[in-house]
Each structure stands twice: as C-alpha cells, then as structure tokens.
Amino acid sequence: MMTDHHHGKVNDHLMKPCGEEEEEEENEEPGSSPSDPPCSITTPGPGGSSGFSKPQRRSRTKLDSDAGLSPAGKNLNCPDCVQNLKGTGKILQGKSETNGNYLQGTRSIQDQQGQDGPRKRRPVTVDTSKAKTSLEALKLSIKQLKWKEFPLGRRAPCDIYWHGVSFHDNEHIVSGQVNKFPGMVEMLRKINLSRAMRTMQQLFPEEYDFYPRSWILPEEYQQFSAQIRLGKENETAVTPTFIVKPDGGSQGDGIYLIRDPSDLKLVVGSQAKQAVVQEYIPKPLLIDKLKFDIRLYVLIRSLEPLEIYIAKEGLTRFCTEPYQEPSQKNLSHVFMHLTNYSLNVHSGNFVHSDSQNTGSKRTLSSVLYRLGAKGVDIKRVWSDIIALVIMTVMAVVPELKVYHQADIPPGKPGPTCFQVLGFDILLMKNLKPVLLEVNSNPSMRIEHEQEVAPGVFEYVPSPVDEEVKVGVIRDTLRLMDPFNKKPAPVSQLKSGGFEHVEEIPLDPESHSRSPDEMGNLPSLCLKQVYPKYTKQFNSLRLVERIAALFIRFLGVKGNMRLGPTAFRTFIRTCKLSSSSFSMASVDILYIDITRRWSCTAPESREAGMGLQAFVEAFFYLAGRRFKSLVLKEQVAALLSLCEAQLEPQPSAEDRRSLSCSRALLRPIRTQTLCPPHPLLSSPAAQRRAASHQRLKPRMLRANVEN
Ligand code: ADP
C-alpha cells in the first residue's frame, strides 16, 4: 500500500537487530547541526548537573555497552555500604505474609534512627547495570537525589534495580524494588492489549469507547471482512479506513492503512502474520494542519493495592506532512498519517527545535497551553485523559496479577515492582482522547543520534526529552524511596473531582523542573490518580475479581493455567453446578473453551485454561444463571455468589451483625457494590440483589465537576 519510497525508509528503519524486546523509541531525532547547539533548558545547580549544558558528543559504541550490559555482581562492593548493610543485617528482609506488603519502609526508618535517635540516613542504592538506554536520564536523576549508583551492579542487594527491558533482565533479585512487573511486556503487546480492552468493552461498552474497534489477525479475518462488506453495502456510509499493526511491532514498523480486506498482508513467508487491524481515526485534532499524538508517562506504583500516577508533563510528536483525511490516494503517506518520531525524522520536513513549543517534538504542556489559548476546555481534556489511563490500567491489571503470582509466589522472597509505562494517545477533532497503544518500555533516551559521516554516529543532547524524562525518572524514584514509604493520606482518597487546573503545567516557559541552585527538588511531576479518583472507577474492577478467583483455584504456585480438576473444584466450591448443569457439562465447557483458546496461543508451553479463557467461561456461566440481566450485572451477580461461597461461613451472631459495612473490608468492592448476603442463594434473590447493583451507564471522567 505504501509507496516504494516510503517503504524504503520504513524498511531501513526495520533493520535493527532483533532478539530481546526492544524499547519503544520516539526520540532519535538527529538534532541540530554542530553550529546550533541545543542547550536551552539545562542550567545545572549543585544538586543536579545535567551535564548537557553544553553540547557533548560521544561515540555510540561506548554509550550503552559499557554501562548497560555488564554482568551484575561482577564488582564491586562499596565497602561503606556493605558495612552498613551488615550492621543492619536486614537488607534481605522481604515481605510480610502477603505479596506486595513490605515492612521495608518501617524497618528502614528505624534502622536509620538507631538507639541514639535520628542520624543521617545512608543514601538509597540503585543498581543501574541493566538500565540500557535509560542510563543517562537515570544517572542524572540519581545525582539530583544524591543517591548512590551502582553502574556495574553489586553483590549485596540494592534498594532499587532499574531494568531497561523487562523484569527478567536480572533474574536473581530477592529483595528491594524493580522498575518492571513480570508479564508487562507480554500484556502490552498489541494483540494482548486488544483482547484485554475488548473484554472491558464487552462489559462496559460506554466507558471503554476510547479504544478503536479492533480485530485480531489471522483468527478474526472472517469477522473483519464481514464488517467491511457490511460497511460497503451501506451506501450512505463513508468508506472506513483501517490501520494494520503487527503484533510485536513498535516505532511504526510494518504499519499500513487499508480500505479493503484484500489489501491485508496475511502471510509472511509461510507463517500467518499476527497483527491487529483497527478502525483508523479519520478526523484527528490538528495543530498547524499537522496530526500529532501524545506520549504520556504513567507510573504503576503498586499492583496491590493499585496505585497509579500520571506525569503532568509529556511529549507530543508531530507528523511532517499536512494532514488530509484518508483517501485511496494518500493511504501510503506515512508522514501524513503516522506520528512516530522514528519515521518522521526521515522526512525532509522534520523540525528540530530547542524550544519546547515549536518543532516536530514538543512538550505536552506547550500544546495544552496553545489549545487553552484557543478556548479549548483543557481541564476537561485532561480529566478525560486521566479516565482513559485509569481504565486502561484496570484492563491489564487482572492478567498482570496472574503473571505476578507466578513469578513472585506469595510467601517466597522476591522484590516489589513498579513500572513507568508510555501511553500513546490521539486527540480527535472533537477533543476526545483515543488510546493508540501502551508501551511497556518507553524510550527514556535524552539524547539523539546524529550521523556525521556514513556509519559514524554521535549523540547530542535533546533538551525537550531531558526536561520531561529526567523529571519522570527522578520523581518515580522519589515515590519509591524505601525510606519514605507512607500510605496515601486518607484525605486523598476522595471520590473524584479534578483538583485544580494548575495541576496541568500550562506555561511551558515559566517553570523548570530541574533542581534549583540550592539543590532543592521541585514539587513532584507525578500526580496520583488512583486510588485518588476511586469512586467512579471501582465498579469497573469486575475482571480483577474474576482473576482473584482464578488465582485462588490455580493451586500450585507458579502456574498460570487452570487444569480440568481445578476448574471442577471451582465449580463445586462455588456451587455452580445444578441438575440442569451437570459436572459432565462442566467438563465439556472446560474442554471446549480451552481448546479454542489454545489455538490462539499455540506457542504457549503450559496446557490448561488461561485467564482469558476462564473469563469467557465465567461470562458464560453468568449468562446462564442470570439470563434477564445485562452482562456486567450478570457477572457482578455471579461474582458476589462465588465470593460469598468462599467466605468462611459466619456464626449465628455474625449473621445478625452482617451488614453492608462489611464490604468496606474488601478493597475492590469498596464504595461501590454492597455484596449480597451470603445466605441469599435463591436465583430470584440473587437477581434482586444484582438489580440493586445496577451500574448506571455514563461517561467516566476523572473530572466530575460537582
Ligand atoms: P507503533 O507501536 O508501531 O508505534 P502505534 O499503535 O503507536 O504503533 O501506531 C503508530 C502510529 O500510527 C501512531 O503513532 C499514530 O500516529 C497512528 N495510529 C495508530 N493507530 C491509529 C488509529 N487507530 N487511528 C489513527 N491513527 C493511528
């Protein structure tokens, strides 16, 4: 579909080594010419030198290989630190009984105080040996915080491990905190993300309308073709355009637009190509006649309990050819339709700018400022974006929990995890945000390559990247500081309402996020959005509750799939079989669904029923039992039934005092659903209970202006 010319460029770009999962790059702009050094924003204070106040150049070969790939533990202990550690004797102290609940914060503060009252705490230690291309931004962050970096790893444990790719970059961590969750890379691949979003769309179609309709190839080719045919038969409809994205792709690799199923490239060699084909958004919001998208950084600080932060500053990436709505003629114009930096940087029109509000890559605040000046309701856009982020995270959390318990089984030593994700968001002309994808490994490079002679590259600083990314990494570290772990203040746990518009940095030139001359750190650029905005979103956590059941019945630690016996046990324990639904039918259901799902993930080594298949089975069971309700109500009702069966049977006295307030003890149902009494077992009673729980369809927005 794309012209040879464009393909040539895209293919050049494709020629990178494969192997480990690659980070999403959006920032390899060639930069300014040597006579035009980019150095507008960094005036390092004593507490934090950027090192980039003057342009610096380095050879590419040295940059990543030295520091990023050395084996951990080869060196190199800092004697002071080892003594310190020996002194405390507690560095390997792991979790309390439940996963994710650490004593670390309390322990550390006590250690620092000793018996003679407070004394100066030791610096937080960070293993940066696996940081790869995040290394430069990470080094600056650690320097600004006055923490201690271990660039070659360390035999004794560090407080924090910063991985460049995935949780498994370093397999031997048994304590501390790692900046990756197990399973995140897998969950955020295009197909898995689409599946997770679709499950949520089935349950909550109104709320999850920010994700374009998508089909998974090759398995849904027939449905996709039928859909296009239907559109064509309807003569009044505008011919829709679709975008095809290879499953493991990033940086625009292999992406193309189509209007007819016959244009799909379904096979590579003899292999069916795994891809997502998605409705193309034909009317994006334009600035200077150009399409652009938003890269937003989101921190998942904890999975249990769920804590989400959003960076107030992000990046916007601009196309380099004026936008026109898709037509057969322009479908192959990548510089018009795809906002990827890695593609547009090859266009002759790419504008490198030291300023944050001009050029082909700008800060989010500068774009919001500009839109605000034109009268756009920025507060509303921002709260819609927050809602999109929270709902997207909620879609992937259930399966992440399955991965988590498999990799870090409860009760076994293991690190706690946190992760910065890169959300790619498009604003439609009507200002509605649309989720394009989520990157598990967003580029944290703060410099870009410049080819000064054929094959010879140099790195030059990129002020816009540095401004945004150092802030994100530094403030993530601050939030994860093991000596400062505090629970979220109760006052923050309110039900909604976006605080004030000042939360959005609107004037790009008026503030700097570098430490001041005294080395004082600026206020956090990461803002908690969950559990802060809990009330509107908690009712969406149904799949997470299904995942909790699934995990409970998995049995053997380390498993990710349910065997037939475990499935039967689930049915029996939750009393889901009956005279009209025998255990033989249960077995057939298990075989039927598991077989179908195993075709969708043939490479999976583990046999059995995965979470997605279990969710399908659960939906089926819910539909059978509560026929008169809509899906989300059916599912909520069946969940309440199962959860009630799994609770310890209350004594007579307990029964008397059972009330709705009991729901407060359950984190997920808190504030939303009042669980039915465990003794409510007749279908009619359950239906009545479920109908009380009916969730009103409405637009979810973090900003409920009430
Ligand atoms: P990649 O991981 O390869 O960058 P994306 O899903 O981010 O894949 O898509 C690449 C680019 O294509 C996006 O940055 C955006 O400009 C454009 N794009 C992706 N999906 C859509 C869509 N549904 N509608 C319009 N444009 C899209």
Side-chain angles (χ1 to χ4, degrees):
M1 295 294 297
M2 298 186 184
T3 62
D4 286 350
H5 168 74
H6 289 125
H7 268 308
K9 305 244 176 202
V10 175
N11 288 341
D12 282 351
H13 186 74
L14 268 168
M15 292 180 63
K16 25 181 204 214
C18 48
E20 34 182 7
E21 196 76 29
E22 219 180 326
E23 74 164 8
E24 164 71 7
E25 285 291 352
E26 92 305 293
N27 63 336
E28 294 183 352
E29 55 199 337
S32 315
S33 70
S35 59
D36 179 23
C39 56
S40 66
I41 61 166
T42 49
T43 320
S49 141
S50 80
F52 285 160
S53 53
K54 293 202 182 96
Q56 291 185 341
R57 296 176 180 283
R58 258 163 297 152
S59 110
R60 172 205 262 188
T61 41
K62 288 303 269 175
L63 178 73
D64 291 330
S65 53
D66 279 0
L69 302 174
S70 308
K74 193 173 151 203
N75 137 46
L76 325 144
N77 301 309
C78 145
D80 289 347
C81 303
V82 174
Q83 258 182 4
N84 239 335
L85 296 170
K86 282 184 182 153
T88 64
K90 288 181 179 175
I91 198 71
L92 276 170
Q93 186 170 345
K95 292 165 273 186
S96 57
E97 315 89 288
T98 50
N99 241 347
N101 269 336
Y102 285 70
L103 301 171
Q104 203 170 20
T106 345
R107 177 262 299 166
S108 304
I109 290 161
Q110 284 162 358
D111 286 349
Q112 299 316 305
Q113 290 184 349
Q115 294 196 333
D116 307 325
R119 61 187 153 91
K120 196 167 180 288
R121 76 178 211 186
R122 68 164 172 82
V124 179
T125 54
V126 186
D127 180 333
T128 61
S129 64
K130 306 287 182 192
K132 300 209 167 163
T133 53
S134 320
L135 191 63
E136 288 303 308
L138 184 58
K139 275 177 181 295
L140 292 179
S141 305
I142 293 171
K143 203 168 176 187
Q144 291 181 6
L145 294 168
K146 302 194 174 80
W147 289 6
K148 188 156 179 57
E149 182 196 355
F150 287 83
L152 296 172
R154 184 188 187 215
R155 200 167 297 137
C158 278
D159 296 311
I160 293 178
Y161 297 80
W162 196 275
H163 289 182
V165 180
S166 86
F167 176 77
H168 296 286
D169 286 357
N170 182 346
E171 298 282 358
H172 308 293
I173 306 170
V174 290
S175 65
Q177 309 183 80
V178 186
N179 72 322
K180 301 282 189 235
F181 282 98
M184 192 68 95
V185 171
E186 292 79 358
M187 265 320 293
L188 294 181
R189 284 170 74 97
K190 291 180 171 55
I191 288 184
N192 267 341
L193 179 66
S194 287
R195 283 198 210 285
M197 297 303 283
R198 185 183 298 172
T199 301
M200 296 307 266
Q201 285 175 329
Q202 280 174 276
L203 285 167
F204 308 105
E206 288 92 1
E207 291 82 352
Y208 278 81
D209 67 345
F210 58 84
Y211 189 68
R213 262 189 319 165
S214 304
W215 295 261
I216 290 156
L217 297 178
E219 67 192 65
E220 291 170 358
Y221 174 77
Q222 296 302 342
Q223 291 98 307
F224 171 63
S225 303
Q227 181 68 42
I228 295 195
R229 241 179 289 122
L230 204 71
K232 286 193 171 159
E233 279 161 20
N234 179 359
E235 282 170 16
T236 52
V238 187
T239 315
T241 303
F242 299 88
I243 183 164
V244 188
K245 310 178 185 185
D247 184 34
S250 63
Q251 306 173 39
D253 288 352
I255 289 187
Y256 57 100
L257 306 187
I258 59 164
R259 297 188 122 185
D260 193 282
S262 62
D263 292 328
L264 279 171
K265 299 163 199 161
L266 284 169
V267 183
V268 199
S270 57
Q271 288 246 305
K273 208 170 179 173
Q274 297 270 321
V276 167
V277 57
Q278 190 171 77
E279 201 176 6
Y280 185 77
I281 306 298
K283 292 182 196 296
L285 182 70
L286 306 180
I287 289 185
D288 300 333
K289 302 198 172 77
L290 300 170
K291 176 174 171 177
F292 67 96
D293 77 348
I294 297 169
R295 160 56 58 87
L296 197 69
Y297 297 96
V298 172
L299 167 68
I300 302 189
R301 188 185 180 206
S302 147
L303 207 53
E304 191 72 85
L306 184 60
E307 275 186 58
I308 310 169
Y309 288 72
I310 296 189
K312 286 186 265 178
E313 186 59 289
L315 294 168
T316 51
R317 291 89 49 103
F318 281 71
C319 277
T320 45
E321 186 180 324
Y323 187 77
Q324 286 166 13
E325 281 192 37
S327 67
Q328 201 59 47
K329 272 204 227 140
N330 70 27
L331 286 189
S332 60
H333 292 214
V334 280
F335 302 143
M336 174 187 288
H337 291 296
L338 308 188
T339 49
N340 299 81
Y341 160 80
S342 46
L343 299 177
N344 283 279
V345 75
H346 297 294
S347 137
N349 297 334
F350 195 93
V351 180
H352 304 286
S353 170
D354 295 351
S355 160
Q356 299 172 24
N357 52 9
T358 59
S360 298
K361 190 190 283 189
R362 308 179 193 176
T363 56
L364 173 59
S365 61
S366 75
V367 164
L368 291 178
Y369 179 72
R370 178 140 171 208
L371 295 176
K374 281 186 177 169
V376 168
D377 183 354
I378 296 304
K379 190 177 168 187
R380 182 177 168 151
V381 171
W382 186 240
S383 58
D384 284 347
I385 289 176
I386 291 177
L388 173 153
V389 166
I390 295 174
M391 288 194 272
T392 304
V393 172
M394 284 182 168
V396 298
V397 157
E399 196 138 13
L400 271 184
K401 286 189 168 177
V402 176
Y403 277 100
H404 193 274
Q405 61 80 41
D407 272 296
I408 315 175
K412 291 254 173 77
T416 35
C417 305
F418 62 96
Q419 187 153 356
V420 176
L421 305 174
F423 274 65
D424 290 350
I425 294 166
L426 189 73
L427 288 181
M428 299 202 322
K429 195 174 176 184
N430 64 5
L431 299 168
K432 184 176 169 51
V434 170
L435 177 71
L436 300 179
E437 70 159 347
V438 189
N439 292 288
S440 61
N441 191 19
S443 168
M444 285 294 169
R445 271 189 189 277
I446 52 172
E447 38 185 22
H448 49 74
E449 290 175 8
Q450 203 168 11
E451 190 167 9
V452 287
V456 182
F457 292 87
E458 284 183 344
Y459 285 100
V460 293
S462 167
V464 174
D465 287 295
E466 184 177 332
E467 167 77 0
V468 174
K469 295 173 184 173
V470 173
V472 170
I473 294 186
R474 183 197 57 225
D475 290 353
T476 295
L477 291 174
R478 283 163 83 187
L479 282 168
M480 302 316 299
D481 182 343
F483 301 141
N484 270 337
K485 278 198 164 170
K486 298 186 212 108
V490 175
S491 63
Q492 283 193 0
L493 304 179
K494 58 189 182 185
S495 62
F498 192 62
E499 273 182 6
H500 13 92
V501 78
E502 288 81 6
E503 294 285 348
I504 315 167
L506 283 178
D507 185 348
E509 308 293 0
S510 71
H511 72 285
S512 163
R513 304 212 54 84
S514 301
D516 66 18
E517 281 170 13
M518 304 299 292
N520 292 325
L521 296 168
S523 60
L524 283 176
C525 72
L526 291 162
K527 174 183 164 56
Q528 192 193 71
V529 293
Y530 195 88
K532 186 168 188 175
Y533 304 117
T534 300
K535 197 172 180 185
Q536 305 98 307
F537 300 102
N538 254 2
S539 58
L540 305 177
R541 299 181 76 178
L542 295 182
V543 184
E544 211 177 323
R545 287 166 63 192
I546 299 178
L549 287 178
F550 178 77
I551 290 170
R552 183 169 176 142
F553 286 95
L554 272 180
V556 183
K557 285 171 185 165
N559 262 3
M560 291 192 59
R561 288 175 183 246
L562 213 59
T565 313
F567 189 69
R568 285 175 138 247
T569 311
F570 154 67
I571 298 282
R572 278 217 181 89
T573 315
C574 295
K575 300 198 173 28
L576 299 181
S577 61
S578 63
S579 53
S580 65
F581 188 59
S582 66
M583 287 312 281
S585 317
V586 168
D587 290 341
I588 292 170
L589 176 70
Y590 177 88
I591 292 167
D592 185 40
I593 293 186
T594 306
R595 190 177 293 154
R596 210 150 19 78
W597 277 91
S598 67
C599 297
T600 67
E603 76 282 2
S604 171
R605 282 163 293 134
E606 230 181 290
M609 180 182 257
L611 176 65
Q612 290 167 347
F614 183 75
V615 168
E616 186 184 324
F618 199 90
F619 284 10
Y620 170 81
L621 294 167
R624 260 187 129 262
R625 189 144 196 152
F626 302 102
K627 289 196 179 69
S628 61
L629 305 177
V630 297
L631 182 63
K632 65 185 171 195
E633 291 162 355
Q634 293 172 340
V635 169
L638 191 65
L639 272 167
S640 297
L641 198 73
C642 295
E643 287 162 352
Q645 293 299 340
L646 293 168
E647 276 176 2
Q649 288 305 305
S651 66
E653 193 179 325
D654 289 342
R655 272 202 293 274
R656 272 195 300 279
S657 62
L658 260 176
S659 74
C660 250
S661 63
R662 192 185 46 148
L664 293 171
L665 297 172
R666 296 208 192 89
I668 296 177
R669 284 184 294 188
T670 323
Q671 303 145 21
T672 52
L673 303 178
C674 171
H677 193 287
L679 301 178
L680 273 180
S681 54
S682 84
Q686 290 153 17
R687 235 184 341 267
R688 271 198 307 277
S691 65
H692 284 130
Q693 296 167 5
R694 259 171 221 217
L695 312 164
K696 277 188 230 126
R698 67 200 151 109
M699 279 290 294
L700 284 182
R701 172 171 292 143
N703 178 13
V704 273
E705 293 173 321
N706 50 8

